[in-house]
Amino acid sequence: MKTTISTTQAKKLITDKLSHFFGVAPDVATDEQFYKAVAMIVRDELSKKNSDFRHTAKGQDSKEIYYLCMEFLMGRSLKNNLYNLGLTETFDKALSSMGVKLDNLYEQEPDAGLGNGGLGRLAACYLDGLATTGFQSMGYSLRYEAGIFKQKLIDGWQTELPDFWLPGGEVWLVPREERSCKVAFEGYIEDSWDGDFHHVNHKDANVVEAIPYDMYVSGKGEGVSRLRLWAAKKPELDMTLFNEGSYMKAMEQSAMAEAITKVLYPADNSPEGKSLRLRQQYFLVSASIQDIIQRHLTKYGTLDNLPDKVAIHINDTHPTMAIPELMRIMLDECGYSWDDAWSIVTRTVAYTNHTVMKEALECWSEELYSRLLPRIYQITKEIDNRFRAYVWSATYDADRVERMAVVSNGVVRMANLCVIGSHSVNGVSALHSEILKETVFNDFYNLTPAKFCNVTNGIAFRRWICQANPALTDYITSLIGDGFITKSDELEKLRQFKDDKKVLAKLDEIKHENKVRFAKIIKKRNGVDINPDSIFDVQVKRLHEYKRQQLNILNIISEYQMLKENPNADYYPKTYIFASKAAPGYFMAKKLIQLIDALSNVINNDPDVNDKLKVVFLEDYNVSLAEVLMPAADISEQISLAGTEASGTGNMKLMLNGAITLGTLDGANVEIHDAVGEDNIYIFGMKTPEVEQLKKAGYFPQSYIQNNEALAKAMAFLQNGVNGKKFDEVYYSLVNTDPYMALADFTDYQRAQREISKAYADREKFVKMSLMNISGAGIFSADRSIMDYANNIWHTKPVQFAKETPKAAKKSKPMAPKSEIKAEPEKEEKKEAKVEPKKVEKKAEKKVAPKKEAPKAPAKKPASKSKKK
Ligand SMILES: *Cc1c(COP(=O)(O)O)cnc(C)c1O
């Protein structure tokens, strides 16, 4: 490790920061000041490490990876960075000698909650994976002032409080005002011809300034990733408007500008068709693409080699407009022809899809899209026209052309635009990627099958086992060494101990300690006493009907009723743990939270069942809560309706910490099943084809109630209300439509629940299953996912590091003989200086003629291949 700081040096650095920034001596500094001081030191180290990394990478043929995503659910940074830098012990000691506990400083940091759930956490895990595997990478997102809301239950009803994270989180951000750029909204397009030269003028636009803030993320090893977050700033007050008497318009514009990065949209898996959301998306995309082009032009002076040097990755459809934005800059500012630009764009951009549910596919009203983004609309229409012509010429099937079109029926379909403008489309689990080809993108798959592939999601092992579960990490290390931390496959070595009673006993002990630790957290947060010897059955994830918390609830009601009727039943004590946020406008989800809360009040206060059954709902599920929860779980509930959950990553975190999956064959559960074998997982319910069949045949939820007495009783309980509250909407939704077929899977779910409880009673058997899960989790490392992306989609290799002695490492030279850039490594940042994006090396040609009609007569050849002249 290059970063070497001694305890003495650390003490001096801390003392200096405290004095310089807060004017305090260590003996009077608060924990908050200590936290910020240490964070600033770590930030400086990361910046140095980044320079070293960039220096090593120079001259090597490893692409720049740009990962665009509206969400990065980062959680806390201090612990993660200290760990990955190998500095935890040093700072622990330095602080101890100053009378400060490092663990207390961790608690000072707010979660950077710039995401909703799985999608945003995936992006955060990938920054760690990219750095650890050694890619030069930049994540792009927005610097929301308020992240995902803080959740508080008031009489069981979710209320949302704003999450202003910057006061404690800002220390990690390095402002980079010299990299600012402008993003234009609204106005109109005026174009003119100067011989062959086409000028596009965006007139009367509302311009917003984008200011970048950088957050460094250390990998384990030599690599560093960067997250560049854009903040919107109001433009200088437009004095012409002022003079013309349009004072109010000027004020409106500035209010609009600042609103763009005020708050994260809190809806998970459901698009919001609001103009502010579209503004956010274009703001991210435009600033990021401008930045990527600047960086590239500074280095190479041309965009011709963009696909060879750069990969731009679009995470879900939210950043789709990166495609027309890249076209816009190449056409309007760099003078490329349409065909040349299109070829470069489509070879550079790749897209990951995250959902197959129709209601979750993003569509924008054409009216809003064209009004807000007039030039992007023109380009989108041209892409659409050319693609329509291409599909027609390839198929002569008008219905198919309409289905595959980008703009149709007054709507812009973002997923179609993504597929058309990317060279690669991937799903996020084996099952999901197959479903994509068979359903939503079937037409596209038939046309260009080679575009489609799979990259199963992964999680950052450093965060989700090393830091979250140090006891387990230390014990695994004592058995098989610490290679598994970066070479996750090595976890399989644990399997040689699967029948070793001593090892199993120790694993059991570690789990128990983690449960005791978590029971204390529950006591503190909820005031409920939990028996650490009971089974901890955990369902933690966003509240969504497709994830089927309602199925879990129905079984709990049923078990409660059974215990009331039969107090001496053979029932292993169980604690059901929920944590979950609902989108603020998602009524049914909020009702389900209220129902869990009401049920927990009834059950936890019923002396008849109290030593056997408890239900806990933990407020404000976030990354930091997940980190203490995962190590304490025995059962991982992954019970979505088959065919609805794209992958899941919570399932991976739980498995890695030794929980046994109780789930349907959905998302990555299928691959978890394959990795652990059928003896080490509890699968129930319909499979995807059975779900499809049942939908076709006609689904009647009431028939399941009639055929299962336990279910009928549970439904009756629900109908009567719980803890004095009515849940008619939940009840009637299940009885009448049950859109995610919870009732159809109820019987088999109860069977699986009984079996897993029975297995738990056989402690040795259960701990052995647990070992099989930990040891099988290797393939779910984010490092493996990143290498899949690199090999199959980005087509590039990681930066190579010279194997040197630690002493020599400090002055390491790039491995490749000739570096194309001669600047000093320390100047890396400066070298990003602005380059005028004027007509770069390309003769101007006729490009998009905005007023031109769509080609009526279909072209003979694919539009993207034909020269438009
Ligand atoms: C991992 C994670 C998720 C995703 O959970 P799933 O079960 O995959 O939906 C959501 N929220 C947080 C805070 C997480 O850490």
Side-chain angles (χ1 to χ4, degrees), residues 58 176 178-179 294-300 819-835:
K58 221 158 261 172
R176 301 292 310 279
E178 76 282 6
R179 304 290 307 158
Q294 279 294 336
R295 288 167 59 85
H296 190 79
L297 286 180
T298 310
K299 218 164 165 182
Y300 300 104
S819 153
E820 292 175 51
I821 308 285
K822 281 155 215 120
E824 287 301 307
E826 295 78 5
K827 304 270 158 59
E828 164 71 16
E829 296 299 339
K830 304 260 153 40
K831 277 191 10 51
E832 279 185 23
K834 292 265 180 188
V835 166

Side-chain angles (χ1 to χ4, degrees), residues 412-454:
V412 186
R413 300 169 180 151
M414 303 311 261
N416 287 9
L417 180 51
C418 266
V419 177
I420 294 164
S422 304
H423 64 85
S424 166
V425 178
N426 74 282
V428 289
S429 70
L431 174 69
H432 168 61
S433 294
E434 285 308 307
I435 294 175
L436 283 182
K437 293 191 281 188
E438 284 161 21
T439 62
V440 273
F441 295 143
N442 185 253
D443 289 319
F444 292 97
Y445 176 63
N446 288 332
L447 205 62
T448 50
K451 257 193 199 184
F452 290 81
C453 65
N454 171 249

Side-chain angles (χ1 to χ4, degrees), residues 73 116-119 121 464 540-542 546-547 621-623 626 630 638 645 647-651 653:
L73 190 54
N116 271 287
L119 174 114
R121 185 54 229 172
W464 293 110
V540 290
K541 47 182 78 251
R542 286 297 289 248
Y546 85 81
K547 290 175 182 285
Y621 184 48
N622 62 11
V623 172
M630 300 299 170
Q638 308 298 337
E645 185 75 272
S647 165
T649 48
N651 46 3
K653 299 167 198 166

Side-chain angles (χ1 to χ4, degrees), residues 201-459:
N201 288 313
H202 193 162
K203 289 275 177 84
D204 216 10
N206 292 324
V207 175
V208 182
E209 197 166 355
I211 318 250
Y213 291 79
D214 288 356
M215 184 190 241
Y216 292 101
V217 179
S218 177
K220 188 91 200 128
E222 323 280 314
V224 180
S225 293
R226 205 180 336 180
L227 175 58
R228 182 159 280 181
L229 300 171
W230 298 102
K233 203 179 123 186
K234 62 170 183 272
E236 298 296 312
L237 203 57
D238 186 339
M239 291 317 284
T240 58
L241 287 179
F242 209 67
N243 298 337
E244 287 162 11
S246 311
Y247 177 72
M248 290 318 290
K249 191 180 175 202
M251 296 312 286
E252 269 172 35
Q253 268 187 37
S254 96
M256 179 278 284
E258 302 234 301
I260 293 178
T261 52
K262 274 271 184 275
V263 60
L264 167 82
Y265 270 89
D268 185 62
N269 256 316
S270 85
E272 288 259 8
K274 304 278 164 51
S275 73
L276 182 60
R277 173 67 174 183
L278 188 61
R279 272 185 218 279
Q280 288 188 334
Q281 293 186 352
Y282 184 65
F283 183 74
L284 165 66
V285 152
S286 179
S288 306
I289 294 293
Q290 290 181 56
D291 196 56
I292 291 168
I293 288 182
Q294 279 294 336
R295 288 167 59 85
H296 190 79
L297 286 180
T298 310
K299 218 164 165 182
Y300 300 104
T302 174
L303 297 177
D304 290 354
N305 63 349
L306 194 72
D308 306 325
K309 305 292 181 189
V310 161
I312 298 177
H313 207 92
I314 298 182
N315 198 33
D316 211 337
T317 54
H318 318 137
T320 302
M321 286 176 287
I323 292 163
E325 177 67 3
L326 194 46
M327 287 299 288
R328 181 187 71 79
I329 296 175
M330 297 190 77
L331 297 171
D332 300 353
E333 293 179 20
C334 302
Y336 277 89
S337 71
W338 180 279
D339 290 333
D340 290 345
W342 185 247
S343 160
I344 289 171
V345 170
T346 50
R347 285 181 293 134
T348 307
V349 177
Y351 156 62
T352 297
N353 171 284
H354 284 270
T355 182
V356 290
M357 287 187 299
K358 298 244 158 35
E359 64 272 27
L361 288 177
E362 242 194 326
C363 286
W364 288 103
S365 113
E366 189 177 355
E367 188 278 321
L368 176 65
Y369 192 93
S370 59
R371 181 161 48 82
L372 221 59
L373 310 164
R375 182 60 181 147
I376 293 302
Y377 174 67
Q378 287 178 343
I379 293 170
T380 303
K381 279 293 276 185
E382 183 68 15
I383 293 171
D384 186 44
N385 286 339
R386 287 168 181 251
F387 187 72
R388 282 168 175 269
Y390 164 53
V391 175
W392 175 258
S393 70
T395 66
Y396 296 102
D397 178 343
D399 287 346
R400 194 187 304 221
V401 170
E402 213 49 54
R403 284 201 304 271
M404 299 175 79
V406 179
V407 187
S408 176
N409 256 310
V411 150
V412 186
R413 300 169 180 151
M414 303 311 261
N416 287 9
L417 180 51
C418 266
V419 177
I420 294 164
S422 304
H423 64 85
S424 166
V425 178
N426 74 282
V428 289
S429 70
L431 174 69
H432 168 61
S433 294
E434 285 308 307
I435 294 175
L436 283 182
K437 293 191 281 188
E438 284 161 21
T439 62
V440 273
F441 295 143
N442 185 253
D443 289 319
F444 292 97
Y445 176 63
N446 288 332
L447 205 62
T448 50
K451 257 193 199 184
F452 290 81
C453 65
N454 171 249
V455 179
T456 299
N457 282 168
I459 57 172

